[in-house]
Amino acid sequence: MDLNDLHYFTAIVDAGGISAASRMLGVTKSSLSQHLAQLEQSLGVRLIQRTTRQLVVTPLGLEFHRRCRRVLAEAEHARALIDEVRETPSGMLKVNCPVLFAQIALGPMLKQFMHDFPEVDLVLDADYREVDLIAEGYDMALHISLELRDSSFVVRSFPLDRHILVASRDWLREHPTPSSPIELQGVRSVWLKIAADLPPQWRLFGPDGQECMVSHRPRFVSADPMVVKQGLLANAGVALTTRGVCHEELIDGRLVHLLPEWCGATHFLHAIYPSRQGLSLIARRFLEYLGEHLAPQMHRVLTDGIRDFSIASNALQRAANA
């Protein structure tokens, strides 16, 4: 049997149809149909019943699919063994990650990664949706959260920056500047809501290990950090967000950091992948690269903002004294 036939058959079943598999693999539907017909002819059995409206995998096809997955995994292990000997990662790496993370952290790191691994082709899909690693053919997905929900996949986590309390300068002209978290109880807020069942509360950590839960009243809600920033700039209330999202606005004074001695919990970047044993050399090198370069990049995002803020403040002070 042709290993390509097994690969395409498995993809058709995983994706739930030829059209979906075509989009996932970037292979024409006619080519997939041809591989499927060729496989069934070589076996002398029907693996998938095809009608004008749907494809139905036969019971024999389901069992054959299960075993094909094992064969393909072993083939990938064999390739990984050769890659380890060659020590030159090559081929395609397909990664899904949040848009904002791609823009402020991962994007600037990729130039060096692509330089260091010239034989790697990278497909980076940036969005905020939940992806099916297996069905959509991803090597890994990157998620950012305080903690990761239970997952049947393998996870490696990297710490990111903490969240800070922010409000617009114009909002503060009409509301008193808080001196403690207690004064924020019931405040109108701009809420970064990442799960449907979350209550509108901020968990804040202060000096000497203090901890405080602050209930707020969302006026503007979004799951996109950049949209939350727009809500802040629209004077909708106070938000708990990262310095990396709004460092430019903090520099020019449109946004103000509230209660700097208090902050939210540390968020993590979670790299999720199907199997440690099946992880390709390319994917392993990518994880190693994240482990080596992510913290310095996040530090640059934060310190550049602080440095620029200091430069701008000094310039304003000199202009005021002139």
Side-chain angles (χ1 to χ4, degrees):
M1 288 180 290
D2 188 330
L3 198 61
N4 283 329
D5 291 343
L6 302 186
H7 171 67
Y8 290 134
F9 165 72
T10 302
I12 291 169
V13 176
D14 286 341
I18 290 177
S19 296
S22 174
R23 292 190 296 271
M24 180 178 74
L25 298 173
V27 177
T28 64
K29 291 189 289 185
S30 60
S31 179
L32 290 177
S33 296
Q34 182 179 352
H35 278 282
L36 177 58
Q38 183 175 296
L39 177 62
E40 290 180 329
Q41 183 177 4
S42 69
L43 294 172
V45 296
R46 178 72 74 179
L47 298 172
I48 298 178
Q49 298 289 354
R50 296 177 280 285
T51 68
T52 55
R53 293 187 175 182
Q54 62 179 347
L55 300 182
V56 178
V57 185
T58 66
L60 182 59
L62 289 173
E63 177 62 20
F64 185 71
H65 168 262
R66 186 178 67 82
R67 301 197 181 198
C68 282
R69 293 280 296 274
R70 291 164 54 186
V71 170
L72 293 171
E74 285 301 318
E76 184 61 33
H77 293 166
R79 177 182 172 179
L81 175 64
I82 301 301
D83 285 342
E84 290 284 7
V85 174
R86 293 173 59 212
E87 280 298 319
T88 304
S90 62
M92 179 180 291
L93 177 66
K94 187 175 180 182
V95 180
N96 179 272
C97 76
V99 175
L100 183 61
F101 178 75
Q103 293 173 340
I104 69 172
L106 189 55
M109 294 163 48
L110 291 181
K111 180 179 179 182
Q112 188 62 44
F113 178 80
M114 301 302 287
H115 176 270
D116 292 345
F117 302 100
E119 297 183 32
V120 172
D121 298 326
L122 179 63
V123 176
L124 180 62
D125 289 339
D127 51 46
Y128 292 112
R129 65 189 181 91
E130 292 284 340
V131 299
D132 187 324
L133 290 175
I134 303 299
E136 298 182 57
Y138 285 103
D139 293 284
M140 71 179 67
L142 305 178
H143 293 176
I144 294 177
S145 63
L146 288 170
E147 57 185 23
L148 194 66
R149 293 172 303 193
D150 291 340
S151 174
S152 59
F153 296 121
V154 183
V155 178
R156 180 175 173 183
S157 299
F158 306 89
L160 300 175
D161 60 324
R162 289 192 167 196
H163 281 45
I164 62 174
L165 290 163
V166 179
S168 73
R169 178 181 54 200
D170 293 338
W171 187 87
L172 287 170
R173 289 194 179 112
E174 300 178 4
H175 301 81
T177 301
S179 59
S180 71
I182 299 300
E183 296 177 17
L184 288 175
Q185 290 287 355
V187 72
R188 297 310 303 268
S189 64
V190 182
W191 191 20
L192 177 64
K193 188 175 183 180
I194 55 177
D197 56 349
L198 284 179
Q201 289 182 323
W202 296 318
R203 186 181 183 188
L204 302 178
F205 300 88
D208 303 322
Q210 294 173 274
E211 184 175 331
C212 182
M213 296 297 295
V214 175
S215 298
H216 53 93
R217 296 184 298 134
R219 186 182 177 200
F220 188 103
V221 180
S222 176
D224 188 320
M226 297 304 286
V227 176
V228 164
K229 180 171 72 173
Q230 296 307 313
L232 280 168
L233 294 172
N235 308 322
V238 178
L240 189 66
T241 185
T242 65
R243 189 184 297 276
V245 169
C246 56
H247 71 274
E248 292 183 4
E249 291 76 15
L250 289 169
I251 292 168
D252 62 30
R254 285 180 291 165
L255 296 180
V256 178
H257 183 183
L258 305 178
L259 300 176
E261 68 276 16
W262 290 84
C263 61
T266 300
H267 280 56
F268 289 85
L269 174 74
H270 305 285
I272 306 167
Y273 44 97
S275 167
R276 195 182 307 276
Q277 289 72 29
L279 201 62
S280 67
L281 179 61
I282 306 171
R284 288 198 294 275
R285 293 293 179 267
F286 185 75
L287 283 174
E288 292 168 2
Y289 193 85
L290 282 178
E292 182 179 353
H293 294 88
L294 180 60
Q297 173 59 26
M298 296 306 299
H299 179 73
R300 279 192 294 273
V301 170
L302 299 179
T303 56
D304 285 353
I306 296 171
R307 181 200 62 202
D308 293 343
F309 178 74
S310 178
I311 292 172
S313 298
N314 290 338
L316 288 172
Q317 186 63 45
R318 287 194 299 271
N321 296 333

